[in-house]
Structures are given as C-alpha cells and as structure tokens.
C-alpha cells in the first residue's frame, strides 16, 4: 500500500506563527507494552526532502524500518532518545513517565528546540516547551515520522538485547508487548525485573497477583494503557 509522504507543513506553520527556527518532532514507543521502558525520540530535521519511504514506523516492514533508521540517523540534523524505566512507569504513571522520557530526549539534543511537534492529540509534555500536537503526526510530519522510526528500531533492539537473559518471554520478537508466548511465560515463570508491575495483566495471573503494585492515584486516560491481553496490539 502506498502512503502519502510526510511534509513540513506543520514546521512551516510554527516558523511563521512562532518564529521557531529549531523544531523537534517527538514520538514514543512502548506505551502499551507489558515489559521494558517507554522510549521517546526527539528528531530535528530542518526542511530538507526526507528519505524515500519515510512514514509511520508501524506501516513499514521490519527490514525496511531497520534500513530506514540507519539512513535517518545520518540524515537528521540531530536526534536523541529518552527512556522511562518500568519502575518509573509504575511509580509515576504513564503520562508522567512519558513526560520524563520526552524531557530527557529533548534535553539531550545539542540545541534546545524552539518548538515541539508531538504525535497524538494529548500534550503530555507541557511547559516550558511550546508544543503543537498533531494526530497521526508520525504519518504527516517529517520530523515526527523520523522520530517514530528511530524510536521503534532502537527500542526493539534494546528489548532483544535485554531479552537474552529471559528467552522464554520472546522479547526479541514481541519487544515486551502482549503475545501468546509472552503470556505463557508469565503464567509459568512470573514477571521479570523488566516488567511493569502496575499493569492489569497481573489481574489475570492469580499465581502472581501478590506482586502487583498499586498507585494511590491513577491519571486521567491511563486505564486504557493497562488493559489485559490484547494479542492484536501493534508491536
């Protein structure tokens, strides 16, 4: 299937309306996983023509995504990754963990962005950053699409490396997301140190329910991130 290529329309708008010169596209991966960090990439691309085939990472084959990520890391003006650990996710909640990971990524860029294009409709970042949210920005905005691909490939590689010590869970294939293999390993072996212990999957595992961590407050809109087994979830 051919997808419309992303453009610099939003960047040009931010340059015109805010006078922004350095604009970072931001996207996350790992929000719905049971294990591993949530990872955010911030990418600054300028207004150059993007590499052919750039789009939302979920629309690209693994092989093409890996190849494209290799091209992008040399093509972008700059990029940086930020992570929030499973422990931080359990302690802070997903919204705050995303904010922390995004802030870490943005702070790691060599030049502080004047504005940020954030994928989605919810601004989980907030001030002091000047944020423009764009629904499906990973398909329509060049910088966000670049961040999407880099974040996905880097986190997948991280989970494959971490998964060497936890082979029954199949992290090299599912990257910590729900899958039949992942569920079977959880039922038999229980969660690993990589697992998020506040997630609702533990509610369906009577043998391991005593390990569940419960925060005193749950952030608005967060319950959907903690649903049980959804083997159709996008990896």
């Amino acid at each position: 299937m051919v997808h419309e290529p992303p453009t610099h329309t939003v960047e040009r708008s931010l340059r015109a309306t805010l006078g922004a010169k350095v604009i970072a596209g931001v996207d996350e991966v790992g929000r719905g996983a049971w294990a591993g960090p949530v990872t955010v990439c911030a990418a600054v691309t300028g207004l150059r023509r993007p590499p052919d085939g750039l789009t939302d990472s979920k629309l690209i084959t693994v092989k093409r995504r890996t190849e494209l990520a290799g091209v992008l890391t040399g093509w972008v003006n700059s990029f940086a990754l930020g992570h929030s650990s499973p422990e931080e996710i359990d302690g802070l909640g997903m919204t705050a963990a995303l904010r922390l990971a995004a802030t870490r990524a943005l702070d790691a860029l060599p030049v502080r962005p004047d504005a940020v294009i954030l994928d989605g409709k919810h601004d989980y970042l907030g001030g002091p950053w000047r944020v423009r949210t764009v629904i499906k920005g990973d398909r329509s905005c060049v910088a966000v699409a670049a961040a999407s691909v880099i974040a996905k490939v880097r986190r997948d590689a991280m989970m494959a490396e971490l998964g060497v010590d936890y082979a029954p869970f199949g992290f090299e294939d599912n990257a910590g997301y729900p899958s039949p293999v992942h569920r079977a390993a959880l039922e038999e072996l229980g969660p690993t140190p990589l697992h998020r212990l506040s997630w609702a999957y533990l509610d369906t595992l009577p043998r391991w329910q005593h390990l569940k961590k419960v925060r005193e407050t749950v952030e608005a809109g967060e319950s959907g991130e903690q649903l049980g087994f959804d083997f159709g979830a996008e990896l």
Side-chain angles (χ1 to χ4, degrees), residues 41 43 69 72-73 76 79 81 145-155:
C41 180
L72 286 169
T73 54
V76 299
F79 78 94
L81 295 166
S148 168
V149 172
I150 295 171
K152 175 64 175 168
V153 171
R154 290 297 182 92
R155 185 183 181 278

Side-chain angles (χ1 to χ4, degrees), residues 202-216:
L202 280 172
D203 294 337
T204 66
L205 301 173
R207 184 179 174 189
W208 309 105
Q209 279 183 359
H210 64 285
L211 298 176
K212 187 173 182 180
K213 294 182 178 179
V214 180
R215 293 191 308 279
E216 292 183 2

